[in-house]
Amino acid sequence: MSSHTILISIGSNIERERYTKQSLVALKQHFSDVTVSSVYESEAVGFNGSPFYNAVARATTSKNIEQVCATLKGIEKDNGRVHTDKKFCARTLDLDLLTYDSRVTTTPVVLPREEICYNAFVLWPLAELVPNDVHPETQETYAHMWQKFDKQKQQLWPIDFTWS
């Protein structure tokens, strides 16, 4: 069985400390070699809501893309996430597959996830966690992408966060 490197965004704005901690516990149950960025606080993007806690996790897995996505949706559901028709809404836990190795695909999900390029709450944690990794489409490192990102567009700040 081959091993794949995955990057996952983590977000929560309902009981955010609880669910952010739970995300790491669950990710470690389903994947190997899990490491995580610092936790950042950001304003809600796309709707009026409570601020989010955001982070990015890196892990390895032998699961295929479909299995990884199903696992992430299962973790969300186990942590009280209710999926609605609204794209932008409050949530207990939001886990999105950002990359799967350096795969570029549109099915079963778009990879790399497009929001890497335009959401500070994804790009800054990526630049911290895997600064020298290269975005599969832009061919730029995450550190370089963050360096040139317009930081005035979205407010984001690192917070003191204890994972255990």
Side-chain angles (χ1 to χ4, degrees):
M1 253 186 221
S2 56
S3 181
H4 303 279
T5 300
I6 56 176
L7 294 168
I8 302 160
S9 66
I10 301 166
S12 174
N13 77 333
I14 296 173
E15 294 184 57
R16 55 195 187 161
E17 184 173 343
R18 171 186 172 194
Y19 288 111
T20 301
K21 287 179 179 182
Q22 274 304 114
S23 72
L24 185 59
V25 170
L27 290 173
K28 285 182 174 183
Q29 289 172 346
H30 294 278
F31 304 109
S32 304
D33 307 316
V34 178
T35 56
V36 70
S37 70
S38 298
V39 176
Y40 296 81
E41 185 174 36
S42 69
E43 297 167 347
V45 173
F47 70 103
N48 288 328
S50 301
F52 275 80
Y53 278 177
N54 297 101
V56 167
R58 179 187 181 281
T60 57
T61 185
S62 59
K63 297 178 182 189
N64 65 34
I65 294 171
E66 293 88 346
Q67 291 167 327
V68 170
C69 290
T71 299
L72 297 178
K73 292 300 169 216
I75 293 170
E76 289 177 344
K77 185 177 179 202
D78 290 347
N79 284 278
R81 170 81 186 267
V82 176
H83 286 273
T84 66
D85 292 338
K86 289 185 190 176
K87 180 176 180 178
F88 300 108
C89 61
R91 53 204 58 176
T92 55
L93 190 57
D94 186 27
L95 300 174
D96 292 316
L97 181 62
L98 299 172
T99 65
Y100 184 95
D101 294 330
S102 56
R103 188 87 47 93
V104 176
T105 185
T106 55
T107 55
V109 293
V110 174
L111 293 176
R113 193 163 174 95
E114 295 167 331
E115 68 187 46
I116 292 170
C117 296
Y118 61 82
N119 279 332
F121 61 83
V122 175
L123 188 53
W124 192 0
L126 271 174
E128 175 207 321
L129 184 65
V130 289
N132 298 317
D133 282 13
V134 174
H135 186 282
E137 288 183 312
T138 69
Q139 296 303 304
E140 297 175 290
T141 66
Y142 295 118
H144 183 255
M145 290 174 69
W146 177 244
Q147 180 183 357
K148 68 180 195 169
F149 187 83
D150 179 1
K151 296 167 184 70
Q152 301 307 311
K153 290 188 344 188
Q154 298 169 6
Q155 297 303 304
L156 182 72
W157 47 96
I159 61 163
D160 281 331
F161 190 85
T162 305
W163 283 98
S164 54

